[in-house]
Amino acid sequence: MRGLARWFTRKAFGAIMQTNLPQVPPQDATSPIPKEFWSPLPMISKWWGERLVGRWINLLDTGPLRKTLHTRFGFDPEKLSASEKALLIAATNVQTGERMIFSNRTIQRRDTGEARQDVVTGITADRILASCSIPLVYPWTFDPETNAFYWDGALVANTPIGVALDVMRDVPMDVPAEIVVVLMTPWWGSNDPTPRTARKLPNSFGDAITWTLDWMLLSSFRERLKLIQTFNELAVRERTEGKGPYKYREVKVIIAAPDDFLPVERIIDYDGDVSAMLIKEGYKAAKKAFERSFPATK
């Protein structure tokens, strides 16, 4: 960005985040510089537009996050690969729109035993950045091994439950699975009260953006949930008929979600007080979800 665009962006994001955004040093920056120039100031010449606005296709940079992973968290891919816990990170191929899963172990399909073609083994700092690369806000992230550019995985698959179930491939099929899905979007069943905000229409441009983003992220989960319910019906039928070995696993989905919409700026506001609020709301949502799914017995 050049002067005018940087000033405007600082003003806009400063109002949201209550902080002054510094310019990321060129050696740390991850943002690409596009070849084509589009001037948002059509009333002035291209020459002046480029010098005032610059060439850019995202607002913020992920360079500081990559630096934080190494300097603050001591990121170590070897420790991740040696962990007994499976870690799956979703990303979206920018040029094809396909979902990609990065994992710290090889994942085999539970039905055939073949390695999943949509799972690449190895968690690197760049692959973590890829899963955080929100389009337009942050730049895409290049992964050298797959020779592809990636955006946030939630664009096409917010909850890739099928891959998570494949991690359980070696667990006997008569052992049910419990999956906890954590949403940033309100969720309610047919018998639950509708969130206060959803009882009316969006009241502002910000509300419209918030609702659009939330429903987009939620749509893929709704489809996954319907699929799980269908497989559960097949699992119950298998057990009722006594047909073994079983092909389908019973899955219980526990959904932890906020009671109401969260402002869209939550995506970019990482201040301590905001994070503390989200942690508090997350604890309340998880407590409610577990009390409902596992009621205390006397």
Side-chain angles (χ1 to χ4, degrees):
M1 288 186 182
R2 294 295 181 93
L4 183 61
R6 193 179 304 127
W7 175 86
F8 179 81
T9 303
R10 280 177 172 161
K11 286 292 184 182
F13 281 93
I16 296 173
M17 304 166 66
Q18 287 80 49
T19 187
N20 181 40
L21 296 173
Q23 185 176 8
V24 178
Q27 65 271 19
D28 296 332
T30 56
S31 299
I33 301 177
K35 295 180 180 179
E36 297 294 329
F37 172 75
W38 171 77
S39 176
L41 302 174
M43 70 290 297
I44 64 175
S45 70
K46 184 177 179 180
W47 187 89
W48 274 109
E50 184 166 0
R51 276 149 186 79
L52 291 172
V53 179
R55 300 188 184 201
W56 46 274
I57 50 178
N58 53 275
L59 297 172
L60 302 179
D61 196 273
T62 53
L65 175 55
R66 173 188 282 159
K67 189 174 182 179
T68 298
L69 285 173
H70 291 288
T71 60
R72 298 289 183 91
F73 292 106
F75 175 75
D76 187 346
E78 298 299 325
K79 286 185 178 180
L80 282 180
S81 63
S83 174
E84 296 180 357
K85 303 294 183 181
L87 175 62
L88 308 173
I89 295 178
T92 302
N93 188 307
V94 174
Q95 294 170 289
T96 66
E98 295 175 295
R99 183 204 67 194
M100 180 63 72
I101 299 290
F102 299 116
S103 173
N104 62 339
R105 64 179 65 181
T106 301
I107 307 296
Q108 297 173 312
R109 292 191 175 276
R110 54 192 180 280
D111 51 353
T112 64
E114 299 178 350
R116 291 191 63 121
Q117 297 302 307
D118 59 346
V119 177
V120 175
T121 306
I123 302 292
T124 65
D126 282 337
R127 289 173 177 177
I128 293 175
L129 290 184
S131 72
C132 303
S133 298
I134 303 170
L136 304 181
V137 178
Y138 296 114
W140 53 61
T141 301
F142 179 70
D143 178 59
E145 183 179 338
T146 57
N147 192 35
F149 299 87
Y150 295 98
W151 271 330
D152 191 329
L155 284 179
V156 294
N158 197 29
T159 48
I161 294 176
V163 186
L165 289 174
D166 282 347
V167 175
M168 295 182 62
R169 180 177 178 273
D170 295 331
V171 178
M173 292 299 290
D174 58 346
V175 177
E178 293 173 354
I179 296 181
V180 180
V181 176
V182 180
L183 300 175
M184 296 288 284
T185 301
W187 174 270
W188 62 95
S190 56
N191 297 323
D192 297 331
T194 304
R196 175 183 52 80
T197 309
R199 297 171 195 165
K200 55 186 179 181
L201 292 173
N203 286 326
S204 65
F205 185 72
D207 282 351
I209 294 176
T210 298
W211 287 40
T212 300
L213 178 62
D214 282 350
W215 297 150
M216 180 189 72
L217 295 178
L218 205 58
S219 62
S220 64
F221 172 63
R222 292 184 190 276
E223 295 303 316
R224 295 292 188 280
L225 192 59
K226 290 178 182 177
L227 192 60
I228 286 177
Q229 291 168 345
T230 300
F231 284 145
N232 277 344
E233 293 174 1
L234 295 173
V236 170
R237 181 181 300 177
E238 276 187 329
R239 285 149 181 78
T240 302
E241 297 175 354
K243 294 182 179 180
Y246 299 133
K247 184 179 179 180
Y248 301 102
R249 188 189 306 277
E250 290 187 84
V251 179
K252 182 174 185 176
V253 179
I254 302 140
I255 303 172
D259 293 329
D260 217 328
F261 291 94
L262 298 173
V264 70
E265 58 263 25
R266 71 181 189 269
I267 295 175
I268 57 169
D269 195 345
Y270 313 122
D271 285 348
D273 57 343
V274 176
S275 297
M277 180 273 292
L278 290 176
I279 291 171
K280 182 179 179 181
E281 291 296 315
Y283 177 83
K284 184 173 72 173
K287 186 173 184 292
K288 178 180 177 181
F290 275 86
E291 287 177 347
R292 173 180 294 184
S293 299
F294 306 101
T297 57
K298 295 182 180 179

